[in-house]
Amino acid sequence: MIRSVLIPVDLSPNSERVVERAALLPFTKTARVSLLHVVPKLLPRGARRRAESDARKALEDIRRRLARELPRTAELTTVVKTGTPTVEIARRARSVKAELLVMGRVGRRALRELFIGSTAERVIRQAGLPVLVVRLPARSPYQRPLFALDDDLAAQEILAFGFQMIPAPRPPLALVHAYDPPIHGLIYPSLSQEESKEHRRHYQKQAVHRIASMMSLAQLSGRVPGLEEVSWRHYVRYGSPRTVIPKTVTQRRADLLVLGTHGRSGVAHAMLGTVAGDVLREVPCDVLVVPPHQERGERAPKSRRSNPRQKRDQRG
């Protein structure tokens, strides 16, 4: 269950959906829920003071509403800062030791702006935390989650964190994995059509076996408590994740897509033209983006405090 969450509130109409979804998340009894609004520092001094006052009133109203939905022992705090949203959100996330950021989006244009060069994309890069991007109205806990997983070790982290977002009793869950045979689509005169099909079937069987092994390992390791009690449907399909995942989201009518990012360049890189970013621009549901553990926020301050001279020495 979630112990600490940061909700950056922009006071737009979509903020209502973000707050409603946050109220349905499975928190611990002593969870810390932090509400934050950042007033742009470029506002004139007089307007900035009025904006800060308005923001404090709005956040207090949200806090009271959330208090009625969350455990009585949960701790709810509100903070209004003036500055650069990217910096203040990442700083606050570290301050409250947030495990999760909950943010909003509206429409495809807003989603594109959200993940390409915008405040949220830069926040994800700096904070390095799992981010729940809310689009759908929140009427109930998630009922049709879909996990987009590869067959690597990071898949267990994605599975474990995404599992927390779905309170018991959990509905049937689904997993999608896209495989693409290395030579499929290439034309070799000596290969018959039947040989090409057999090559594709071979890779499909391998993909199914790897995913099944990964799920078994996750269950046996105990990293995902309760995994064995949930029914799963697996979609192991040929094609690029950029097309397979959105199609499966539509087919399943998924209300939550859980996916991860890869590479040492972190979530920010994944949002710029790679699979995660392309998928996010296509799907109509909420999306939980889970970065690898080594890229998460607890290590970010250390890297920023490192000595530039040491870095130069290492490069030399």
Side-chain angles (χ1 to χ4, degrees), residues 73-124:
T73 50
E75 177 184 347
L76 284 82
T77 59
T78 64
V79 173
V80 175
K81 293 288 186 179
T82 298
T84 304
T86 304
V87 174
E88 298 300 334
I89 293 172
R91 181 178 296 162
R92 184 64 179 170
R94 293 192 298 269
S95 174
V96 300
K97 298 181 180 179
E99 297 176 329
L100 174 71
L101 289 170
V102 183
M103 307 181 75
R105 76 185 197 190
V106 183
R108 292 197 175 192
R109 180 179 178 185
L111 182 59
R112 182 176 180 84
E113 294 170 354
L114 177 63
F115 285 103
I116 300 183
S118 69
T119 296
E121 186 272 326
R122 292 189 294 270
V123 167
I124 294 171

Side-chain angles (χ1 to χ4, degrees), residues 59 65 75 81 84 105 108 142 148 199 203 253 267 271:
L59 291 189
R65 287 157 47 199
E75 177 184 347
K81 293 288 186 179
T84 304
R105 76 185 197 190
R108 292 197 175 192
Y142 291 116
H199 180 73
Y203 270 86
R253 294 186 298 113
V267 182
M271 295 304 132

Side-chain angles (χ1 to χ4, degrees), residues 254-276:
D255 53 6
L256 174 67
L257 173 65
V258 183
L259 76 165
T261 61
H262 298 279
R264 295 184 63 83
S265 52
V267 182
H269 172 72
M271 295 304 132
L272 299 174
T274 55
V275 171

